[in-house]
Amino acid sequence: MIVTTKQLFQHAYGKYAIGAYNINNLEQTMGLFQGNVDSKAPFIIQLSKGARSYTNKKMLEAMTKTANEIFPDAIFAVHLDHGDEATCMDCINSGFYSSVMIDASAEPLQKNIEITKRVVDAAHAKGLVVEAELGKLGGVEEHVSVNEADAHLTDPKEAEIFVKQSGCDSLACAIGTSHGAFKFSGSQGLHFDVLAEIQKRLPGFPLVMHGSSSVPQDEVARINAAGGQLKGAKGVNADEFKRAATLGVTKINIDTDGRLVWCRVHREAFRDDPANFDLRPPGKVFMKEYAKFIAAKNVKLGSAGQLDAVRAFIAKK
Ligand code: G3H
Ligand code: 13P
Ligand code: ZN
């Protein structure tokens, strides 16, 4: 069942976070649905601009719709990840998405508000909800002085102004994470102080954490042992997700970890069976491993086991 992120956030707020996972192909789609159904978790399926053009945006729609039929118990939102204004409008008009993200975070505050508001007006007119972003992810390194580092993080005062003026439904905040497999050079973690201040200024408002892959070290070691070269890869401590959830984070974005599962499975498969040239044996292993990974991640997010409660909550509304 396709729902909006707003419905999922209303149930989750302050208690747990919903996993937002990116898909690009059939194997990821099958593993994703299987893992969420197995762990009885609601989830968000994220389609990026790159994913929409990898094959064809219609293929992503078709796979998602078909997965919805194959897994009738699944409850999920369909969300555009990191959209520009034109892509948001395309998704809003498609009739398929339930949620879009407008990422104008590279623009100055006022321009970000203007762009976001245009997308919000168009989305709300069609019953969709909008995630926006304020602050810059990444670039927060140990050697950068605190003031410089803080300049990359979301300013809580600006967050309050931004949400009020743009009318967005959820806000992606920069609190020390970054995209990809190389997040931290030392022992940094999440900036819970910034998150707490944002929640104080925006009580009850759903916050989003991007760049939240954990980059499991055993996964990295297996990839490197099978010929990979991922030296110094490091991610977010998944044991911090629940604390983030109590501070208003209702959506946690994870993409890189899934790519690592894909990389490990395929590197090991071809190392261990060099005579194989068939795509299906490693594909089958990947779908199983990805489902296992998703189910385990949902336990860390606290979304595992929430499916029946979410179904009842949505039915009551
Ligand atoms: O935040 C970005 C996501 O990991 C999606 O990545 O733009 O390469 O599809 P992508
Ligand atoms: P990761 O690169 O940490 O998986 O983050 C993904 C993300 O934020 C997608 O929007
Ligand atoms: Zn992101």
Side-chain angles (χ1 to χ4, degrees):
M1 175 171 49
I2 298 178
V3 297
T4 67
T5 45
K6 192 171 187 162
Q7 291 167 295
L8 298 179
F9 295 162
Q10 279 170 349
H11 188 260
Y13 190 89
K15 300 188 297 247
Y16 63 93
I18 314 273
Y21 303 103
N22 294 64
I23 60 149
N24 295 270
N25 69 9
L26 176 70
E27 288 79 5
Q28 279 181 311
T29 309
M30 289 302 285
L32 177 63
F33 277 76
Q34 190 67 60
N36 283 297
V37 168
D38 287 350
S39 58
K40 289 187 165 296
F43 65 104
I44 296 165
I45 190 162
Q46 301 213 113
L47 310 171
S48 72
K49 222 178 143 187
R52 280 162 52 87
S53 61
Y54 170 54
T55 51
N56 185 299
K57 61 187 181 185
K58 286 199 173 300
M59 188 58 84
L60 288 179
E61 284 187 28
M63 284 191 307
T64 307
K65 281 180 182 159
T66 304
N68 191 28
E69 287 171 23
I70 298 170
F71 298 92
D73 288 341
I75 297 180
F76 61 101
V78 181
H79 176 76
L80 168 69
D81 190 27
H82 292 285
D84 53 29
E85 191 171 352
T87 311
C88 283
M89 296 305 182
D90 187 52
C91 293
I92 290 166
N93 293 325
S94 74
F96 171 63
Y97 291 73
S98 58
S99 170
V100 294
M101 175 191 188
I102 172 70
D103 182 356
S105 60
E107 302 289 350
L109 177 66
Q110 214 48 50
K111 184 126 190 252
N112 189 353
I113 291 173
E114 277 166 34
I115 296 169
T116 301
K117 182 146 183 14
R118 283 201 294 271
V119 171
V120 166
D121 289 344
H124 285 182
K126 296 216 167 175
L128 280 80
V129 292
V130 177
E131 173 184 328
E133 179 164 334
L134 185 67
K136 288 191 186 70
L137 257 67
V140 182
E141 301 287 348
E142 260 187 344
H143 61 270
V144 179
S145 72
V146 174
N147 283 345
E148 277 178 68
D150 278 347
H152 296 272
L153 304 177
T154 301
D155 177 338
K157 279 194 232 85
E158 285 192 358
E160 192 180 350
I161 295 167
F162 183 87
V163 167
K164 288 205 172 113
Q165 294 190 8
S166 70
C168 66
D169 302 282
S170 60
L171 184 69
C173 304
I175 55 160
T177 63
S178 57
H179 293 110
F182 302 88
K183 299 192 193 296
F184 305 110
S185 56
S187 58
Q188 309 101 313
L190 306 180
H191 290 251
F192 284 111
D193 50 337
V194 176
L195 198 52
E197 185 58 30
I198 296 171
Q199 192 196 34
K200 215 166 102 191
R201 289 172 176 275
L202 294 167
F205 191 79
L207 305 175
V208 178
M209 213 166 87
H210 281 246
S212 303
S213 278
S214 305
V215 190
Q217 292 304 296
D218 55 334
E219 202 73 273
V220 173
R222 284 174 74 173
I223 289 170
N224 288 341
Q229 291 188 4
L230 297 179
K231 303 275 180 283
K234 200 168 173 193
V236 173
N237 180 355
D239 290 327
E240 295 191 320
F241 290 165
K242 284 188 187 157
R243 184 171 168 206
T246 64
L247 292 170
V249 172
T250 49
K251 173 174 179 275
I252 291 192
N253 286 15
I254 295 160
D255 182 14
T256 296
D257 281 349
R259 298 183 191 207
L260 293 176
V261 175
W262 180 89
C263 181
R264 181 254 299 170
V265 165
H266 287 83
R267 279 200 176 277
E268 288 184 348
F270 292 117
R271 176 197 63 189
D272 297 344
D273 189 2
N276 177 49
F277 56 88
D278 186 353
L279 73 163
R280 287 186 303 222
K284 278 192 166 205
V285 176
F286 170 73
M287 286 186 273
K288 243 177 131 169
E289 288 292 293
Y290 192 47
K292 248 170 59 187
F293 159 79
I294 295 286
K297 194 62 86 174
N298 290 339
V299 172
K300 296 284 183 189
L301 293 164
S303 62
Q306 296 286 347
L307 199 59
D308 293 339
V310 169
R311 197 183 315 283
F313 177 77
I314 289 170
K316 249 194 346 215
K317 293 219 128 219

